[in-house]
Every structure is written in structure tokens, then in C-alpha cells.
mmCIF file of all heavy atoms in Angstrom:
data_model
loop_
_atom_site.group_PDB
_atom_site.id
_atom_site.type_symbol
_atom_site.label_atom_id
_atom_site.label_comp_id
_atom_site.label_asym_id
_atom_site.label_seq_id
_atom_site.Cartn_x
_atom_site.Cartn_y
_atom_site.Cartn_z
ATOM 1 N N HIS P 30 280.038 8.033 147.374
ATOM 2 C CA HIS P 30 280.162 6.576 147.479
ATOM 3 C C HIS P 30 281.296 6.176 148.416
ATOM 4 O O HIS P 30 282.055 5.239 148.147
ATOM 5 C CB HIS P 30 280.367 5.957 146.088
ATOM 6 C CG HIS P 30 279.227 6.235 145.146
ATOM 7 N ND1 HIS P 30 278.070 5.494 145.128
ATOM 8 C CD2 HIS P 30 279.069 7.206 144.205
ATOM 9 C CE1 HIS P 30 277.242 5.978 144.214
ATOM 10 N NE2 HIS P 30 277.820 7.029 143.647
ATOM 11 N N SER P 31 281.397 6.903 149.518
ATOM 12 C CA SER P 31 282.449 6.614 150.502
ATOM 13 C C SER P 31 281.859 6.432 151.905
ATOM 14 O O SER P 31 282.554 6.626 152.900
ATOM 15 C CB SER P 31 283.484 7.754 150.511
ATOM 16 O OG SER P 31 282.882 8.991 150.870
ATOM 17 N N SER P 32 280.586 6.059 151.975
ATOM 18 C CA SER P 32 279.898 5.982 153.269
ATOM 19 C C SER P 32 280.241 4.729 154.057
ATOM 20 O O SER P 32 280.099 4.701 155.278
ATOM 21 C CB SER P 32 278.386 6.026 153.048
ATOM 22 O OG SER P 32 277.942 4.843 152.373
ATOM 23 N N GLY P 33 280.661 3.676 153.360
ATOM 24 C CA GLY P 33 280.875 2.394 154.015
ATOM 25 C C GLY P 33 279.714 1.441 153.862
ATOM 26 O O GLY P 33 279.789 0.273 154.271
ATOM 27 N N LEU P 34 278.610 1.904 153.257
ATOM 28 C CA LEU P 34 277.473 1.022 153.014
ATOM 29 C C LEU P 34 277.823 -0.015 151.939
ATOM 30 O O LEU P 34 278.650 0.251 151.057
ATOM 31 C CB LEU P 34 276.263 1.836 152.554
ATOM 32 C CG LEU P 34 275.518 2.629 153.633
ATOM 33 C CD1 LEU P 34 274.513 3.570 152.980
ATOM 34 C CD2 LEU P 34 274.815 1.678 154.606
ATOM 35 N N PRO P 35 277.188 -1.188 151.987
ATOM 36 C CA PRO P 35 277.417 -2.192 150.943
ATOM 37 C C PRO P 35 277.036 -1.632 149.574
ATOM 38 O O PRO P 35 276.186 -0.734 149.472
ATOM 39 C CB PRO P 35 276.487 -3.338 151.350
ATOM 40 C CG PRO P 35 276.221 -3.135 152.798
ATOM 41 C CD PRO P 35 276.265 -1.658 153.030
ATOM 42 N N PRO P 36 277.629 -2.165 148.514
ATOM 43 C CA PRO P 36 277.331 -1.645 147.179
ATOM 44 C C PRO P 36 275.926 -1.990 146.699
ATOM 45 O O PRO P 36 275.282 -1.185 146.023
ATOM 46 C CB PRO P 36 278.389 -2.292 146.291
ATOM 47 C CG PRO P 36 278.822 -3.505 147.040
ATOM 48 C CD PRO P 36 278.725 -3.159 148.485
ATOM 49 N N TYR P 37 275.434 -3.186 147.062
ATOM 50 C CA TYR P 37 274.186 -3.650 146.445
ATOM 51 C C TYR P 37 273.599 -4.778 147.279
ATOM 52 O O TYR P 37 274.329 -5.618 147.806
ATOM 53 C CB TYR P 37 274.467 -4.143 145.021
ATOM 54 C CG TYR P 37 273.262 -4.549 144.217
ATOM 55 C CD1 TYR P 37 272.349 -3.598 143.776
ATOM 56 C CD2 TYR P 37 273.047 -5.882 143.881
ATOM 57 C CE1 TYR P 37 271.249 -3.967 143.017
ATOM 58 C CE2 TYR P 37 271.950 -6.260 143.117
ATOM 59 C CZ TYR P 37 271.047 -5.292 142.691
ATOM 60 O OH TYR P 37 269.961 -5.660 141.946
ATOM 61 N N VAL P 38 272.291 -4.781 147.408
ATOM 62 C CA VAL P 38 271.571 -5.870 148.068
ATOM 63 C C VAL P 38 270.336 -6.167 147.228
ATOM 64 O O VAL P 38 269.631 -5.232 146.801
ATOM 65 C CB VAL P 38 271.149 -5.486 149.507
ATOM 66 C CG1 VAL P 38 270.262 -6.571 150.111
ATOM 67 C CG2 VAL P 38 272.369 -5.264 150.388
ATOM 68 N N ARG P 39 270.054 -7.421 146.990
ATOM 69 C CA ARG P 39 268.924 -7.815 146.147
ATOM 70 C C ARG P 39 267.636 -7.858 146.985
ATOM 71 O O ARG P 39 267.092 -8.924 147.280
ATOM 72 C CB ARG P 39 269.218 -9.154 145.485
ATOM 73 C CG ARG P 39 270.481 -9.117 144.630
ATOM 74 C CD ARG P 39 270.912 -10.505 144.174
ATOM 75 N NE ARG P 39 270.056 -11.057 143.165
ATOM 76 C CZ ARG P 39 270.180 -10.852 141.851
ATOM 77 N NH1 ARG P 39 271.157 -10.074 141.404
ATOM 78 N NH2 ARG P 39 269.353 -11.404 140.991
ATOM 79 N N PHE P 40 267.143 -6.674 147.345
ATOM 80 C CA PHE P 40 265.934 -6.593 148.169
ATOM 81 C C PHE P 40 264.756 -7.288 147.506
ATOM 82 O O PHE P 40 263.945 -7.934 148.164
ATOM 83 C CB PHE P 40 265.574 -5.125 148.433
ATOM 84 C CG PHE P 40 266.616 -4.365 149.199
ATOM 85 C CD1 PHE P 40 267.313 -3.321 148.614
ATOM 86 C CD2 PHE P 40 266.894 -4.684 150.516
ATOM 87 C CE1 PHE P 40 268.268 -2.617 149.323
ATOM 88 C CE2 PHE P 40 267.860 -3.976 151.242
ATOM 89 C CZ PHE P 40 268.547 -2.946 150.632
ATOM 90 N N PHE P 41 264.649 -7.134 146.187
ATOM 91 C CA PHE P 41 263.552 -7.726 145.433
ATOM 92 C C PHE P 41 263.574 -9.245 145.531
ATOM 93 O O PHE P 41 262.527 -9.888 145.523
ATOM 94 C CB PHE P 41 263.633 -7.289 143.966
ATOM 95 C CG PHE P 41 264.917 -7.700 143.284
ATOM 96 C CD1 PHE P 41 264.997 -8.865 142.556
ATOM 97 C CD2 PHE P 41 266.061 -6.914 143.405
ATOM 98 C CE1 PHE P 41 266.186 -9.245 141.936
ATOM 99 C CE2 PHE P 41 267.243 -7.283 142.794
ATOM 100 C CZ PHE P 41 267.314 -8.454 142.057
ATOM 101 N N GLU P 42 264.758 -9.814 145.625
ATOM 102 C CA GLU P 42 264.897 -11.269 145.691
ATOM 103 C C GLU P 42 264.687 -11.778 147.112
ATOM 104 O O GLU P 42 264.146 -12.872 147.325
ATOM 105 C CB GLU P 42 266.288 -11.666 145.192
ATOM 106 C CG GLU P 42 266.483 -13.154 144.990
ATOM 107 C CD GLU P 42 267.823 -13.449 144.353
ATOM 108 O OE1 GLU P 42 268.853 -13.271 145.035
ATOM 109 O OE2 GLU P 42 267.842 -13.824 143.168
ATOM 110 N N GLN P 43 265.098 -10.973 148.075
ATOM 111 C CA GLN P 43 264.954 -11.360 149.476
ATOM 112 C C GLN P 43 263.538 -11.157 149.998
ATOM 113 O O GLN P 43 263.207 -11.600 151.101
ATOM 114 C CB GLN P 43 265.932 -10.559 150.335
ATOM 115 C CG GLN P 43 267.392 -10.824 150.020
ATOM 116 C CD GLN P 43 268.331 -9.956 150.842
ATOM 117 O OE1 GLN P 43 267.896 -9.176 151.696
ATOM 118 N NE2 GLN P 43 269.629 -10.081 150.593
ATOM 119 N N GLY P 44 262.706 -10.481 149.225
ATOM 120 C CA GLY P 44 261.330 -10.275 149.643
ATOM 121 C C GLY P 44 261.159 -9.211 150.717
ATOM 122 O O GLY P 44 260.134 -9.185 151.402
ATOM 123 N N VAL P 45 262.148 -8.312 150.838
ATOM 124 C CA VAL P 45 262.014 -7.207 151.790
ATOM 125 C C VAL P 45 260.885 -6.300 151.296
ATOM 126 O O VAL P 45 260.947 -5.806 150.170
ATOM 127 C CB VAL P 45 263.323 -6.399 151.910
ATOM 128 C CG1 VAL P 45 263.136 -5.218 152.854
ATOM 129 C CG2 VAL P 45 264.452 -7.305 152.369
ATOM 130 N N PRO P 46 259.844 -6.070 152.071
ATOM 131 C CA PRO P 46 258.752 -5.196 151.610
ATOM 132 C C PRO P 46 259.290 -3.840 151.186
ATOM 133 O O PRO P 46 260.209 -3.306 151.822
ATOM 134 C CB PRO P 46 257.846 -5.085 152.839
ATOM 135 C CG PRO P 46 258.130 -6.311 153.637
ATOM 136 C CD PRO P 46 259.583 -6.595 153.433
ATOM 137 N N PRO P 47 258.752 -3.263 150.112
ATOM 138 C CA PRO P 47 259.270 -1.978 149.629
ATOM 139 C C PRO P 47 259.353 -0.903 150.703
ATOM 140 O O PRO P 47 260.323 -0.138 150.742
ATOM 141 C CB PRO P 47 258.266 -1.602 148.530
ATOM 142 C CG PRO P 47 257.782 -2.908 148.013
ATOM 143 C CD PRO P 47 257.715 -3.810 149.212
ATOM 144 N N ASP P 48 258.364 -0.843 151.601
ATOM 145 C CA ASP P 48 258.412 0.188 152.627
ATOM 146 C C ASP P 48 259.390 -0.134 153.752
ATOM 147 O O ASP P 48 259.578 0.676 154.674
ATOM 148 C CB ASP P 48 257.017 0.440 153.199
ATOM 149 C CG ASP P 48 256.401 -0.797 153.830
ATOM 150 O OD1 ASP P 48 257.003 -1.889 153.739
ATOM 151 O OD2 ASP P 48 255.308 -0.678 154.424
ATOM 152 N N GLU P 49 260.032 -1.304 153.673
ATOM 153 C CA GLU P 49 261.041 -1.678 154.660
ATOM 154 C C GLU P 49 262.453 -1.606 154.107
ATOM 155 O O GLU P 49 263.417 -1.879 154.823
ATOM 156 C CB GLU P 49 260.769 -3.100 155.171
ATOM 157 C CG GLU P 49 259.533 -3.220 156.049
ATOM 158 C CD GLU P 49 259.671 -2.415 157.334
ATOM 159 O OE1 GLU P 49 260.780 -2.421 157.921
ATOM 160 O OE2 GLU P 49 258.691 -1.766 157.740
ATOM 161 N N VAL P 50 262.593 -1.235 152.822
ATOM 162 C CA VAL P 50 263.925 -1.199 152.205
ATOM 163 C C VAL P 50 264.804 -0.148 152.888
ATOM 164 O O VAL P 50 265.946 -0.433 153.280
ATOM 165 C CB VAL P 50 263.821 -0.921 150.694
ATOM 166 C CG1 VAL P 50 265.191 -0.565 150.110
ATOM 167 C CG2 VAL P 50 263.256 -2.147 149.975
ATOM 168 N N VAL P 51 264.318 1.078 153.036
ATOM 169 C CA VAL P 51 265.118 2.126 153.676
ATOM 170 C C VAL P 51 265.426 1.775 155.128
ATOM 171 O O VAL P 51 266.589 1.894 155.559
ATOM 172 C CB VAL P 51 264.440 3.500 153.548
ATOM 173 C CG1 VAL P 51 265.131 4.543 154.425
ATOM 174 C CG2 VAL P 51 264.453 3.957 152.098
ATOM 175 N N PRO P 52 264.447 1.344 155.941
ATOM 176 C CA PRO P 52 264.788 0.917 157.301
ATOM 177 C C PRO P 52 265.827 -0.199 157.337
ATOM 178 O O PRO P 52 266.668 -0.240 158.247
ATOM 179 C CB PRO P 52 263.447 0.457 157.871
ATOM 180 C CG PRO P 52 262.430 1.262 157.133
ATOM 181 C CD PRO P 52 262.976 1.372 155.743
ATOM 182 N N THR P 53 265.781 -1.104 156.349
ATOM 183 C CA THR P 53 266.769 -2.182 156.291
ATOM 184 C C THR P 53 268.161 -1.629 156.021
ATOM 185 O O THR P 53 269.157 -2.062 156.626
ATOM 186 C CB THR P 53 266.386 -3.199 155.204
ATOM 187 O OG1 THR P 53 265.098 -3.754 155.506
ATOM 188 C CG2 THR P 53 267.405 -4.330 155.128
ATOM 189 N N ILE P 54 268.260 -0.642 155.110
ATOM 190 C CA ILE P 54 269.554 -0.005 154.836
ATOM 191 C C ILE P 54 270.067 0.702 156.093
ATOM 192 O O ILE P 54 271.257 0.615 156.430
ATOM 193 C CB ILE P 54 269.422 0.995 153.671
ATOM 194 C CG1 ILE P 54 269.069 0.269 152.369
ATOM 195 C CG2 ILE P 54 270.725 1.788 153.487
ATOM 196 C CD1 ILE P 54 268.760 1.196 151.197
ATOM 197 N N ILE P 55 269.179 1.382 156.791
ATOM 198 C CA ILE P 55 269.566 2.115 158.000
ATOM 199 C C ILE P 55 270.124 1.178 159.063
ATOM 200 O O ILE P 55 271.053 1.530 159.805
ATOM 201 C CB ILE P 55 268.352 2.900 158.539
ATOM 202 C CG1 ILE P 55 268.013 4.043 157.573
ATOM 203 C CG2 ILE P 55 268.620 3.454 159.940
ATOM 204 C CD1 ILE P 55 266.705 4.733 157.878
ATOM 205 N N ASP P 56 269.594 -0.040 159.130
ATOM 206 C CA ASP P 56 270.032 -1.008 160.145
ATOM 207 C C ASP P 56 271.307 -1.755 159.766
ATOM 208 O O ASP P 56 271.866 -2.483 160.593
ATOM 209 C CB ASP P 56 268.918 -2.028 160.411
ATOM 210 C CG ASP P 56 267.742 -1.418 161.167
ATOM 211 O OD1 ASP P 56 267.935 -0.359 161.790
ATOM 212 O OD2 ASP P 56 266.632 -1.981 161.107
ATOM 213 N N MET P 57 271.800 -1.601 158.529
ATOM 214 C CA MET P 57 272.966 -2.347 158.075
ATOM 215 C C MET P 57 274.247 -1.886 158.762
ATOM 216 O O MET P 57 274.397 -0.718 159.119
ATOM 217 C CB MET P 57 273.136 -2.201 156.556
ATOM 218 C CG MET P 57 272.109 -2.953 155.743
ATOM 219 S SD MET P 57 272.377 -2.701 153.969
ATOM 220 C CE MET P 57 271.101 -3.772 153.317
ATOM 221 N N GLU P 58 275.177 -2.817 158.907
ATOM 222 C CA GLU P 58 276.505 -2.496 159.394
ATOM 223 C C GLU P 58 277.344 -1.933 158.244
ATOM 224 O O GLU P 58 277.214 -2.360 157.092
ATOM 225 C CB GLU P 58 277.188 -3.755 159.948
ATOM 226 C CG GLU P 58 276.501 -4.337 161.167
ATOM 227 C CD GLU P 58 276.652 -3.439 162.383
ATOM 228 O OE1 GLU P 58 277.768 -2.888 162.586
ATOM 229 O OE2 GLU P 58 275.660 -3.272 163.119
ATOM 230 N N LEU P 59 278.191 -0.968 158.552
ATOM 231 C CA LEU P 59 279.118 -0.455 157.550
ATOM 232 C C LEU P 59 280.187 -1.483 157.255
ATOM 233 O O LEU P 59 280.629 -2.218 158.138
ATOM 234 C CB LEU P 59 279.765 0.847 158.031
ATOM 235 C CG LEU P 59 278.826 2.023 158.325
ATOM 236 C CD1 LEU P 59 279.649 3.252 158.715
ATOM 237 C CD2 LEU P 59 277.917 2.335 157.150
ATOM 238 N N GLU P 60 280.636 -1.519 155.998
ATOM 239 C CA GLU P 60 281.684 -2.462 155.601
ATOM 240 C C GLU P 60 283.075 -1.862 155.750
ATOM 241 O O GLU P 60 284.068 -2.596 155.702
ATOM 242 C CB GLU P 60 281.451 -2.917 154.153
ATOM 243 C CG GLU P 60 280.168 -3.726 153.987
ATOM 244 C CD GLU P 60 280.047 -4.355 152.611
ATOM 245 O OE1 GLU P 60 280.770 -3.899 151.682
ATOM 246 O OE2 GLU P 60 279.252 -5.295 152.454
ATOM 247 N N TYR P 61 283.166 -0.540 155.920
ATOM 248 C CA TYR P 61 284.447 0.134 156.141
ATOM 249 C C TYR P 61 284.139 1.496 156.751
ATOM 250 O O TYR P 61 283.009 2.002 156.638
ATOM 251 C CB TYR P 61 285.243 0.276 154.843
ATOM 252 C CG TYR P 61 284.504 0.961 153.727
ATOM 253 C CD1 TYR P 61 284.542 2.358 153.591
ATOM 254 C CD2 TYR P 61 283.769 0.228 152.798
ATOM 255 C CE1 TYR P 61 283.864 2.989 152.583
ATOM 256 C CE2 TYR P 61 283.073 0.867 151.782
ATOM 257 C CZ TYR P 61 283.121 2.236 151.678
ATOM 258 O OH TYR P 61 282.437 2.867 150.672
ATOM 259 N N PRO P 62 285.082 2.137 157.413
ATOM 260 C CA PRO P 62 284.834 3.441 158.039
ATOM 261 C C PRO P 62 284.483 4.501 156.997
ATOM 262 O O PRO P 62 285.014 4.480 155.874
ATOM 263 C CB PRO P 62 286.163 3.771 158.730
ATOM 264 C CG PRO P 62 286.836 2.453 158.903
ATOM 265 C CD PRO P 62 286.432 1.619 157.728
#
């Protein structure tokens, strides 16, 4: 748990299609080094 990724995103609430959840995580900016 030291990657810099955000702790949590409400994909279910945002309507991100299930098969797009991992690509969405991959595209996220890190919050810390």
C-alpha cells in the first residue's frame, strides 16, 4: 500500500463499466511518489 494510488474510488457510483475499472486505475495520476 505504498504505490501512490488513491485509496478508493466509487466506480459503482460513477458508472464506470466493470471492464473499464482496471484501465481507469491504470490511467490515474499517483497521489505521492
